[in-house]
């Protein structure tokens, strides 16, 4: 998820971030588990003026059971969640953030800017899925992240606070985000005015939701989709996973290991007849193999030193109209940090949004 810090990233900070992240995953593999509180960013926070509200949302009465094809495992899990949600038995409340910069709305509209319904008939909004390795969704600085994002892209930002592993396993985040989308549509937002955005693990969830929408024939109605340093291949088989290990914050842990990031998200598989690696190859978990013909306009940004670089490039090559922007020397930590890099990132996102919503 983009950091709000204005300070440029130093070499020492880059090295510390890599060491901290690799140690964190090392503790997990050694069965020490994750700390109660994950490390938070400590960069300087700029002064941004805006509003922010967390609100609960519920499944609309019009929402139907899932009907994705060729993935019985995921379909069964999703419809179990659907049934629990419909019966009011789903564990954990579903909440969403709405954030708006003061530069986006007039002072007289500040109160209505925090409603979960359109401020006018053709309002454009961003629906953002933050990253966090499937184990985290919000950070202590999330408020400022979303207000800054709103200022940069010129629209309100809605952020489903999806549930994460290990307490909530795949595909719970997909259900949370899909239900959030349906909630916004039920409140009056038009799909053609919604731009979806996902960062890192959030991009993986975003792509899974787009595939659910494709099964309903409405994915191409979405205005567009922005993917930032996306997780697209959960088999972790692309060369950049090895090539960039010394310069990126994400450590390689084989997906055959039950405590790797993909398997941690997937959770235990009770059926001995199911191969977890084959499961991870399916498009709902590895959207690099998704049917690209059913996707909305796509915009992808990734750093060349990111372990996820090769899968981002490979995915973009499958989509003739996709926009791909890469950054030399940027890894999974530095691509969304520091004023200069964030200015580049948001400028490119804004150009894409203006184009697809013109």
């Amino acid at each position: 998820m983009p950091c709000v810090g204005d300070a440029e990233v130093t070499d020492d900070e880059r090295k510390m971030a890599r060491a901290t992240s690799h140690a964190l995953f090392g503790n997990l593999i050694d069965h020490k588990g994750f700390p109660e509180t994950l490390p938070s960013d400590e960069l300087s926070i700029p002064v941004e003026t805006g509003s922010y509200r967390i609100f609960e949302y519920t499944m609309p009465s019009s929402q139907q059971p899932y009907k994705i094809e060729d993935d019985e495992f995921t379909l069964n899990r999703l419809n179990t969640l659907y049934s629990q949600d419909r019966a009011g038995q789903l564990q954990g409340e579903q909440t969403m953030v709405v954030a708006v910069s003061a530069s986006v709305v007039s002072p007289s509209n500040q109160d209505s800017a925090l409603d979960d319904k359109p401020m006018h008939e053709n309002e454009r909004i961003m629906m953002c899925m933050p990253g966090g390795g499937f184990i985290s969704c919000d950070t202590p600085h999330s408020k400022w992240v979303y207000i800054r994002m709103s200022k940069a892209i010129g629209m309100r930002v809605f952020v489903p606070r999806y549930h994460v592993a290990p307490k909530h396993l795949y595909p719970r985040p997909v259900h949370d985000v899909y239900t959030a989308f349906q909630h916004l549509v039920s409140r009056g937002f038009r799909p053609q005015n919604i731009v979806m955005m996902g960062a890192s693990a959030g991009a993986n969830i975003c792509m899974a939701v787009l595939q659910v929408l494709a099964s309903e024939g409405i994915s191409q109605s979405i205005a567009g989709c922005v993917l930032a340093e996306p997780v697209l291949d959960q088999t972790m088989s692309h060369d950049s996973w090895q090539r960039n290990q010394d310069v990126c914050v994400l450590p390689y842990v084989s997906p055959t290991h039950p405590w790797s990031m993909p398997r941690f998200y997937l959770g235990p598989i009770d059926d001995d007849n199911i191969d977890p690696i084959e499961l991870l190859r399916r498009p709902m978990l590895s959207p690099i193999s998704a049917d690209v013909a059913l996707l909305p306009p796509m915009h992808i940004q990734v750093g060349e030193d990111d372990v996820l670089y090769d899968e981002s490039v490979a995915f973009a090559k499958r989509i003739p109209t996709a926009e791909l922007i890469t950054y030399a020397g940027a890894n999974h930590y530095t691509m969304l940090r520091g004023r200069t890099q964030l200015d580049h990132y948001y400028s490119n996102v804004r150009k894409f949004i203006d184009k697809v919503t013109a």
Side-chain angles (χ1 to χ4, degrees), residues 237-251:
S237 57
H238 285 78
D239 291 345
S240 54
W241 267 102
Q242 305 303 327
R243 186 178 69 248
N244 289 335
Q245 270 300 291
D246 291 339
V247 292
C248 190
V249 295
L250 295 181

Side-chain angles (χ1 to χ4, degrees), residues 4 64 107 116 129 132 163 166 219 233 254 286 342 356:
V4 295
Q64 299 298 309
D116 60 344
M129 279 58 76
H163 292 79
S219 58
D233 183 0
S254 172
S286 289
L342 281 173
V356 298

Side-chain angles (χ1 to χ4, degrees), residues 21-312:
S21 179
H22 281 239
L24 184 69
F25 277 85
N27 285 338
L28 178 63
I29 298 304
D30 291 338
H31 303 287
K32 297 177 182 178
F34 282 110
E36 289 295 323
T37 303
L38 295 176
S40 62
D41 297 314
E42 295 182 354
L43 299 181
S44 60
I45 299 178
V47 176
E48 298 286 0
T49 303
S51 303
Y52 171 102
R53 182 172 75 93
I54 299 173
F55 62 92
E56 290 188 33
Y57 65 94
T58 57
M59 178 190 290
S61 58
S62 58
Q63 187 166 325
Q64 299 298 309
Y66 294 92
K67 55 182 181 180
I68 59 172
E69 298 179 353
D70 303 323
D71 191 343
E72 185 177 359
F73 176 87
T74 298
L75 180 62
N76 289 340
R77 281 194 173 189
L78 279 173
N79 277 328
T80 295
L81 292 167
Y82 172 87
S83 297
Q84 292 172 346
D85 203 350
R86 181 62 71 207
Q89 298 172 349
L90 191 66
Q91 186 179 17
E93 64 182 10
Q94 292 173 304
T95 60
M96 194 170 355
V97 168
V98 55
V100 59
S101 166
S103 64
V104 173
V105 296
S106 63
S108 61
N109 289 333
Q110 284 291 333
D111 290 339
S112 61
L114 296 181
D115 285 343
D116 60 344
K117 57 185 179 182
M119 297 178 64
H120 54 81
E121 185 178 6
N122 289 310
E123 183 188 7
R124 305 177 305 175
I125 61 169
M126 169 72 80
M127 184 176 176
C128 173
M129 279 58 76
F134 305 107
I135 60 171
S136 175
C137 183
D138 272 344
T139 72
H141 297 163
S142 289
K143 174 180 179 179
W144 306 109
V145 172
Y146 306 140
I147 291 175
R148 181 171 184 164
M149 183 184 298
S150 171
K151 179 180 180 180
I153 64 177
M155 60 178 64
R156 290 197 290 165
V157 176
F158 288 82
V159 187
R161 302 170 79 212
Y162 58 84
H163 292 79
V164 297
K167 187 174 182 179
H168 302 278
L169 303 175
Y170 171 81
R172 176 61 189 271
V174 179
H175 176 74
D176 288 341
V177 173
Y178 173 74
T179 301
F181 175 87
Q182 292 293 351
H183 171 82
L184 292 175
V185 171
S186 74
R187 295 292 286 162
F189 290 100
R190 299 175 178 178
Q192 60 266 33
N193 289 330
I194 299 175
V195 179
M196 299 183 74
M197 181 269 185
S200 190
N204 184 281
I205 297 165
C206 178
M207 285 298 302
V209 171
L210 281 176
Q211 291 176 77
V212 174
L213 294 174
S215 72
E216 300 173 350
I218 61 174
S219 58
Q220 291 177 304
S221 300
I222 305 299
C225 178
V226 176
L227 303 180
E229 48 191 20
V231 176
L232 295 170
D233 183 0
Q234 299 248 44
T235 68
M236 304 167 74
S237 57
H238 285 78
D239 291 345
S240 54
W241 267 102
Q242 305 303 327
R243 186 178 69 248
N244 289 335
Q245 270 300 291
D246 291 339
V247 292
C248 190
V249 295
L250 295 181
Y252 176 80
V253 180
S254 172
T256 61
H257 197 294
W259 290 80
S260 64
M261 181 177 70
R263 296 287 298 280
F264 202 66
Y265 175 44
L266 185 59
I269 306 298
D270 297 329
D271 190 341
D272 293 337
N273 295 318
I274 297 178
D275 180 355
I277 302 303
E278 289 302 317
L279 195 59
L280 289 172
R281 288 195 177 98
R282 296 180 185 179
M284 286 289 288
L285 280 157
S286 289
I288 192 169
S289 59
D291 185 351
V292 299
L294 300 177
L295 295 178
M298 302 295 296
H299 175 89
I300 305 166
Q301 298 194 45
V302 66
E304 294 180 8
D305 286 350
D306 197 324
V307 294
L308 303 175
Y309 175 77
D310 284 0
E311 59 200 73
S312 297

